[in-house]
Amino acid sequence: MSARVIVVGSANLDLVVTTPQLPKPGETVLGGDFRTVPGGKGANQAVAAARAGANCDFVGAVGTDDFGMLLSDNLIAAGIDVRGLRTVEGPSGVALIAVDGAAENFIVVAPGANAALTTLDAADRTAVAAADVLLLQLEVPLTAVRQAAAWARADGTTVVLNAAPARPLPVELLDLVDVLVVNEHEAAIVGGVFTEEPGALLDALVTLVPRVVLTLGARGAAYADRHGARIEVPPPKVDAVDTTAAGDAFTGALAVALAEHGGVLTADTATAVLRWACAAGAACAQRPGASTALPRRDAIDALYAATYGDAA
């Protein structure tokens, strides 16, 4: 049977402009190409999981504007079950994104309809219980995130939290998390430490959650758990064009790999899981856009084999 992943999270329409360099505060720069791309961390990770081979459900909210229809159609086109997608009066979520010549970006999000996802219903709980992995982020209200995580814990579904955008998190939520996925900046905020040194970040975070995956950008990823495991994985070397959705590709693929390992991440499986997720992130960075750049399983497998010398 295919892995089953459910995502409770955001859907935004990304308004993306390229520019030679990102503006400083108060500065105006002349940009280049402009495009609109379906995005949002939740929707991106759902599409990433579906393209990586999972059966995927999505719980979220879009508005009654034209953007809402575009976002819904994008999820359906990816083969995602959208029975948990609400339509609420008002605008959909929007992300303003600038991407520079080095593939770096900045992003500003207007939540729109995402802010209305404050509670879940009985149908959502049934979907959570049927999944191998519940994948969460922090672009929707924390009440819905915690409710989904509590249901998953009660029903034996593995909880993966990508703590982005970063904020200090309540113990009541952290106690429900099986795997925390963060970058160095997010790790420092969630862990409450004034460092971006990977070892110190991992040490701080495993006091809060049992397993941590730390994404390191061009340096790959690292894993730690409370049993003392520490694993680092280098990424494939690629020519990056746009890193906007690379983190979402990584996290969606990680959720799929985790589901295919029975929802259990251990020191024995972490190297293969992180390598495959790194291959997904690197494959995504080779193409422009957010959801449009998310790789399919064959592309992930090919880059994994070319980089690490074996099959995923």
Side-chain angles (χ1 to χ4, degrees):
M1 293 178 62
S2 296
R4 188 160 205 97
V5 174
I6 183 168
V7 178
V8 176
S10 60
N12 300 319
L13 193 72
D14 294 345
L15 309 180
V16 185
V17 62
T18 60
T19 178
Q21 69 277 335
L22 299 178
K24 301 178 180 64
E27 180 184 17
T28 299
V29 298
L30 187 63
D33 293 337
F34 171 77
R35 61 188 183 277
T36 57
V37 183
K41 294 197 75 64
N44 282 348
Q45 291 178 16
V47 173
R51 289 186 180 171
N55 289 322
C56 189
D57 296 73
F58 182 73
V59 176
V62 296
T64 50
D65 54 4
D66 291 342
F67 290 174
M69 185 65 70
L70 288 171
L71 294 169
S72 177
D73 288 348
N74 181 65
L75 292 165
I76 293 169
I80 294 166
D81 188 325
V82 296
R83 284 177 289 182
L85 181 65
R86 287 88 160 139
T87 299
V88 300
E89 189 66 33
S92 300
V94 172
L96 307 177
I97 303 174
V99 182
D100 71 10
E104 295 298 328
N105 63 73
F106 73 65
I107 304 172
V108 180
V109 176
N114 296 300
L117 191 70
T118 56
T119 60
L120 307 180
D121 60 27
D124 299 326
R125 177 160 194 175
T126 299
V128 169
D132 301 298
V133 171
L134 166 68
L135 181 52
L136 301 164
Q137 317 80 30
L138 300 176
E139 286 187 341
V140 297
L142 212 57
T143 51
V145 173
R146 187 182 181 284
Q147 185 178 19
W151 285 347
R153 174 58 58 86
D155 294 329
T157 300
T158 298
V159 178
V160 177
L161 173 63
N162 178 208
R167 69 184 82 170
L169 295 173
V171 172
E172 294 78 12
L173 174 58
L174 290 169
D175 283 347
L176 299 169
V177 173
D178 295 299
V179 182
L180 178 70
V181 181
V182 283
N183 64 23
E184 291 160 289
H185 172 71
E186 295 155 357
I189 294 174
V190 174
V193 293
F194 298 98
T195 179
E196 290 193 1
E197 196 283 312
L201 292 172
L202 292 170
D203 288 343
L205 290 170
V206 293
T207 68
L208 303 176
V209 295
R211 298 166 199 86
V212 179
V213 173
L214 180 64
T215 61
L216 301 169
R219 291 175 289 139
Y223 167 82
D225 63 32
R226 287 178 175 169
H227 301 292
R230 295 291 187 275
I231 296 168
E232 291 190 18
V233 172
K237 295 187 183 301
V238 298
D239 293 326
V241 173
D242 183 353
T243 61
T244 301
D248 295 332
F250 176 100
T251 305
L254 183 139
V256 175
L258 180 56
E260 291 177 350
H261 283 85
V264 179
L265 185 62
T266 68
D268 291 335
T269 61
T271 297
V273 169
L274 265 64
R275 283 177 172 178
W276 202 65
C278 281
C284 179
Q286 292 178 292
R287 300 177 60 194
S291 60
T292 53
L294 296 166
R296 299 192 181 277
R297 190 179 186 104
D298 56 352
I300 302 171
D301 285 344
L303 191 53
Y304 180 103
T307 302
Y308 305 112
D310 56 2

